[in-house]
Amino acid sequence: MKKVLLSLFVLLGFLQAVELKKVSFEEYLLAFDYKERENMKIKTPDMLALIEEGKAILVDVRFREEFEVWHMNFAKNIPLNELPKRLGELPKDKLIITACPHNDRSNLARLFLVMNGYNAKYLNDGLLKTADFLRGENAKEFLEEYQSSKEKK
């Protein structure tokens, strides 16, 4: 049931994606409310479900060196300081989930993406929590689902 509700939520977000447009920081702040505060973040289990379903991509915004030392193999690395020049690498028809270990840089990246017309959230429990979550059976289950969804494409 949770996946069905999550899928409906994501579908509604995709339908709105066509209407996304650039907004100024002032416009964003003036429209900021409790709903936006809730919609701007996502937790690891929800993120993983959307990635398994091919409805979202994870963008790791850490520096290249940090990413090379350790990373999630399903993440795309676009360092925060390269994001403005690499926007064209991101699809506008999927939810973009930004991540870093503690969510400071991912917050900045999400705001930049939203202001540029993307549907984006930041991983509020951070990559360290994701790494902790993806152990044992969780890792096995996620990898099987993720690989299965990639093969269907």
Side-chain angles (χ1 to χ4, degrees):
M1 181 66 169
K2 184 177 179 183
K3 280 191 175 185
V4 170
L5 290 175
L6 190 57
S7 294
L8 287 174
F9 172 73
V10 171
L11 180 60
L12 288 174
F14 290 145
L15 293 175
Q16 293 175 337
V18 174
E19 301 173 17
L20 294 177
K21 64 178 181 74
K22 286 188 175 188
V23 296
S24 71
F25 189 55
E26 183 176 338
E27 289 172 314
Y28 179 79
L29 290 180
L30 289 172
F32 192 84
D33 58 12
Y34 286 102
K35 183 178 179 186
E36 175 63 10
R37 183 176 182 269
E38 180 63 28
N39 287 337
M40 64 194 271
K41 50 194 164 186
I42 191 167
K43 291 186 181 268
T44 292
D46 298 327
M47 176 213 38
L48 293 174
L50 292 173
I51 289 173
E52 283 175 1
E53 296 166 6
K55 296 177 180 175
I57 65 167
L58 178 65
V59 177
D60 185 329
V61 297
R62 295 177 299 145
F63 293 113
R64 181 186 52 80
E65 297 83 2
E66 293 174 283
F67 186 81
E68 284 184 19
V69 170
W70 72 270
H71 64 271
M72 305 293 155
N73 67 347
F74 53 90
K76 179 176 187 66
N77 179 228
I78 302 180
L80 182 60
N81 62 346
E82 295 178 19
L83 190 55
K85 292 180 181 177
R86 296 179 60 187
L87 275 178
E89 296 178 31
L90 299 175
K92 285 201 171 194
D93 64 339
K94 291 189 178 192
L95 175 64
I96 308 299
I97 301 169
T98 59
C100 63
H102 303 290
N103 85 26
D104 52 352
R105 288 175 277 182
S106 60
N107 270 300
L108 290 170
R110 185 210 64 90
L111 181 57
F112 179 78
L113 290 170
V114 167
M115 292 176 67
N116 280 278
Y118 287 83
N119 183 13
K121 295 179 183 279
Y122 73 90
L123 182 62
N124 71 331
D125 47 4
L127 288 172
L128 296 175
K129 182 72 171 186
T130 301
D132 188 47
F133 182 85
L134 286 174
R135 296 188 307 175
E137 290 297 317
N138 285 345
K140 182 180 182 296
E141 181 182 321
F142 171 76
L143 188 58
E144 288 169 354
E145 291 290 327
Y146 179 67
Q147 288 174 338
S148 174
S149 71
K150 286 182 78 171
E151 290 170 2
K152 291 177 184 175
K153 289 181 182 181

